[in-house]
Amino acid sequence: DSGYLAGLYMPRVDDAGRLDLSLEYQYAGLRMYRHAQFRSGLARNQRLIGSMLGPEGRAGYFELRWDVVDAHTLSLDLAYEGRSHDEYVVVSTVPSRVEKVRSLPQERRYRAVGSWSYRPRRQALLLQVGVGYERVNTFSFEVGRSLHNLIGEIRLQWRY
């Protein structure tokens, strides 16, 4: 009945310190409060909090960053998300017990995004351009419904 989040960050994969790597794994337990059956769950500012993965959802994330030269960085992000939409009921509150009443297919997302960033040293400017691809199997939890998405990003950031 609990969720897990584990990660590993290696800031200096190579000898020069220009390559870093991060890995992350998520497991959402039963009570992540995303679903209609848990509307009375934990909320903040009238919005339910928890994981978009849904009960018993799983995700894995991989990021590799390479500082090519002083102001230029290349990165590769890979992701897997298995989102659940199973239905549960609360059987008893003391002790707390939940039972699954309906198993539905999982929505599975596979994503790859590559990006280039330009951030001059001692300046507040950041320019980032990224492109990627995402495949979604069982989109919206409907068997046989799949999507192919192209991802584009242009970001200009100025810190003051």
Side-chain angles (χ1 to χ4, degrees):
D1 200 24
S2 59
Y4 302 98
L5 173 64
L8 176 66
Y9 174 60
M10 294 182 285
R12 294 183 56 125
V13 176
D14 64 338
D15 291 337
R18 292 186 175 272
L19 197 62
D20 66 318
L21 172 73
S22 66
L23 303 167
E24 183 177 307
Y25 171 77
Q26 292 182 23
Y27 169 74
L30 293 177
R31 300 175 195 253
M32 291 297 160
Y33 302 102
R34 179 182 71 85
H35 304 285
Q37 68 268 28
F38 292 132
R39 286 183 192 206
S40 63
L42 298 177
R44 182 178 185 131
N45 298 327
Q46 298 180 343
R47 298 198 69 175
L48 299 175
I49 60 175
S51 174
M52 289 304 295
L53 297 174
E56 299 188 297
R58 297 177 193 279
Y61 302 99
F62 169 92
E63 181 185 20
L64 183 65
R65 289 175 23 114
W66 177 34
D67 294 327
V68 182
V69 291
D70 288 339
H72 300 271
T73 301
L74 295 175
S75 65
L76 174 66
D77 294 288
L78 303 175
Y80 164 78
E81 296 169 342
R83 299 179 182 200
S84 174
H85 198 59
D86 294 342
E87 294 178 5
Y88 294 83
V89 294
V90 177
V91 177
S92 73
T93 55
V94 180
S96 179
R97 209 172 99 222
V98 176
E99 286 184 8
K100 185 186 293 188
V101 293
R102 189 168 160 204
S103 286
L104 298 168
Q106 278 199 340
E107 178 183 272
R108 299 187 188 280
R109 294 176 174 260
Y110 307 90
R111 189 170 46 254
V113 177
S115 63
W116 164 78
S117 299
Y118 174 71
R119 183 187 303 258
R121 293 199 184 268
R122 298 183 190 96
Q123 290 189 23
L125 174 73
L126 167 71
L127 172 64
Q128 183 172 345
V129 178
V131 294
Y133 169 77
E134 178 184 55
R135 171 155 173 94
V136 185
N137 293 337
T138 318
F139 175 71
S140 194
F141 310 102
E142 294 179 24
V143 175
R145 188 171 177 202
S146 297
L147 290 179
H148 301 272
N149 298 316
L150 294 177
I151 300 167
E153 173 188 33
I154 298 174
R155 181 169 76 170
L156 180 62
Q157 179 179 331
W158 183 267
R159 293 184 184 187
Y160 57 94

